[in-house]
Amino acid sequence: MGLLNWFFSLLFGSPRRAASPPTAMSQTSGARSSAQTHGRVRLKKDRPRQWSNRFRSTRVVVPKKPYPFARKSITGRGYLDMSTDGDDQALIAAGLPVFHHPQELADWLRLPLKELAWLTNHFRHGRPIDPQRAHYHFRWIEKRRGGWRLIESPKRLLKALQSRILDEILSRIATHSAVHGFVLGRSILTNAEPHVGQCVVVKLDLESFYPSIRLARIARLFRGLGYSREAAIWLGRLVTSRLPLNQPFPTGKSGTSSLTLWPYFPAHLPQGAPTSPALSNLVLSRLDARLAGLARKFGATYTRYADDLTFSGPERFAASLAVFIPLAKQIIRREGLRVNRGKTRVLRQAGRQIVTGVVVNERPNIDRRAYDTLKAILTNCHRHGPTSQNRDNHPQFALHLRGRIGHVSLLNPARGAKLLAIFEQIDWER
């Protein structure tokens, strides 16, 4: 048998054993032994994710069109019925509305079916012809450190539909306990409190956060809730955006290239839609679970506020950062996201430890420099008028300053009261 096996391996290659996905413990122990032996971490190459059969659809070919906008089969003989693979019992148990195909979705939204198809760009192959005919207002914002961010604000009708999806579907699904951004009852303060008084704080930032979450992941999320493939695709199209191919390049100091627009051409989560924060939290639930589990293995704490990932822990955690950070980045890559290398920070207790704008060295507090800057702006508004201080041309400058004062009051009520006293002396007619 040995000679026969050798002969087959010579002809067809050695058989490979099926490998199970590594757990957080196995990743940790393997990385530690490698670090001790060679002084650096050797990680296995990333493999494509294997999704369970739960997210695969049952495509039934029927001779007649089962519902409007049903797709033809690949052979052209009959139509695909993708409305029968949902889980109505799971939807009812979660208190979610039940629908299976576009007509039932339109009825639930109290909208004519053709108008629903128009809103999802069904007649234009899923993409608006030009910015004027799109269902979003596009606005480029230049980042402080260079580069551009696209704000995509849905127009009135689409925004109303997205708000209903948020209220009656997404808000009824629980988010991971480590998530603090855009969750009722949580804030930047609750995100920072778990990291108070820690020996070391590690901050990672996700690059191109919203554009990285594509339509396929959104549809897979709705499929996981119990919706049929057809309903999940139409729901996904309602909450995603695609940039028109003739979208003008932004102009500014940062410069532009085709790489600036490229992340926004596929269907993605738009920054500016009411559904995007909740969808991003739900889509990244597996990432949060994996990173929280990895942090526990190292005796650390993990929280996430939108695209800001924060880890903190005692001296034992600080001594293992050479192993921990590569493992965390590998998990992020395997979840289809990228880390912004320029924003990775390791903050020791000897310096200022700031988490989502909150100083956490000893207790949650406002950054002294941020407080002094805001106080100077308010004082100059009182002395020289608010117009002289509105350098960024905020359309509602008073509300902008009032919001910043509220942020200070949340962290330090005494300092917030001082700023509010100056604010109330400003003459806004000057």
Side-chain angles (χ1 to χ4, degrees), residues 114-364:
K114 289 186 177 180
E115 194 166 2
L116 175 63
W118 172 68
L119 287 170
T120 59
N121 294 303
H122 185 84
F123 303 117
R124 301 168 182 168
H125 304 287
R127 185 187 304 277
I129 297 177
D130 52 55
Q132 290 71 30
R133 302 184 190 183
H135 302 296
Y136 291 86
H137 298 289
F138 303 110
R139 180 166 59 94
W140 291 100
I141 296 180
E142 194 168 3
K143 299 179 183 179
R144 294 181 180 178
R145 300 183 180 181
W148 298 90
R149 177 183 294 110
L150 179 62
I151 303 299
E152 301 170 273
S153 304
K155 296 181 181 178
R156 184 172 58 180
L157 177 57
L158 181 58
K159 184 177 181 179
L161 301 182
Q162 291 177 346
S163 298
R164 186 172 184 190
I165 294 173
L166 173 64
D167 295 337
E168 300 191 28
I169 298 179
L170 302 179
S171 62
R172 301 182 182 183
I173 309 301
T175 57
H176 195 275
S177 59
V179 178
H180 294 263
F182 314 106
V183 178
L184 186 64
R186 306 178 197 175
S187 63
I188 59 171
L189 181 58
T190 62
N191 181 70
E193 285 175 338
H195 307 289
V196 173
Q198 296 287 0
C199 177
V200 65
V201 175
V202 178
K203 301 200 306 182
L204 303 178
D205 183 85
L206 299 179
E207 187 176 359
S208 300
F209 181 54
Y210 284 114
S212 299
I213 303 177
R214 303 289 173 80
L215 173 61
R217 302 185 73 169
I218 301 301
R220 190 157 48 239
L221 169 66
F222 286 118
R223 292 279 289 121
L225 297 179
Y227 287 103
S228 66
R229 178 175 174 83
E230 190 71 61
I233 292 175
W234 282 74
L235 280 171
R237 287 177 175 172
L238 277 175
V239 297
T240 55
S241 171
R242 298 181 72 178
L243 202 62
L245 294 177
N246 57 353
Q247 173 69 28
F249 283 81
T251 56
K253 298 179 181 179
S254 298
T256 55
S257 66
S258 58
L259 297 178
T260 304
L261 303 180
W262 179 253
Y264 301 97
F265 284 137
H268 61 276
L269 276 188
Q271 184 172 357
T275 48
S276 293
L279 283 169
S280 64
N281 286 340
L282 295 174
V283 167
L284 299 187
S285 293
R286 196 173 84 160
L287 171 69
D288 296 323
R290 296 184 67 184
L291 290 178
L294 179 67
R296 283 194 299 270
K297 295 298 181 181
F298 282 80
T301 301
Y302 163 72
T303 63
R304 180 173 65 84
Y305 194 98
D307 56 351
D308 294 326
L309 315 180
T310 307
F311 306 88
S312 66
E315 294 182 2
R316 181 169 70 92
F317 174 61
S320 61
L321 292 183
V323 176
F324 176 82
I325 294 179
L327 288 177
K329 290 183 177 180
Q330 184 185 63
I331 290 176
I332 293 171
R333 287 196 304 270
R334 289 189 174 183
E335 292 298 322
L337 301 168
R338 294 178 298 174
V339 174
N340 190 334
R341 298 179 179 179
K343 292 186 177 182
T344 300
R345 297 287 184 270
V346 177
L347 309 176
R348 307 284 178 175
Q349 206 166 26
R352 286 188 309 159
Q353 296 174 322
I354 301 179
V355 177
T356 52
V358 181
V359 179
V360 296
N361 289 74
E362 297 179 357
R363 62 183 179 86

Side-chain angles (χ1 to χ4, degrees), residues 86-107:
D87 190 344
D88 292 356
Q89 294 182 353
L91 295 173
I92 295 173
L96 303 179
V98 178
F99 41 80
H100 308 88
H101 51 72
Q103 183 61 67
E104 293 181 354
L105 174 59
D107 295 340

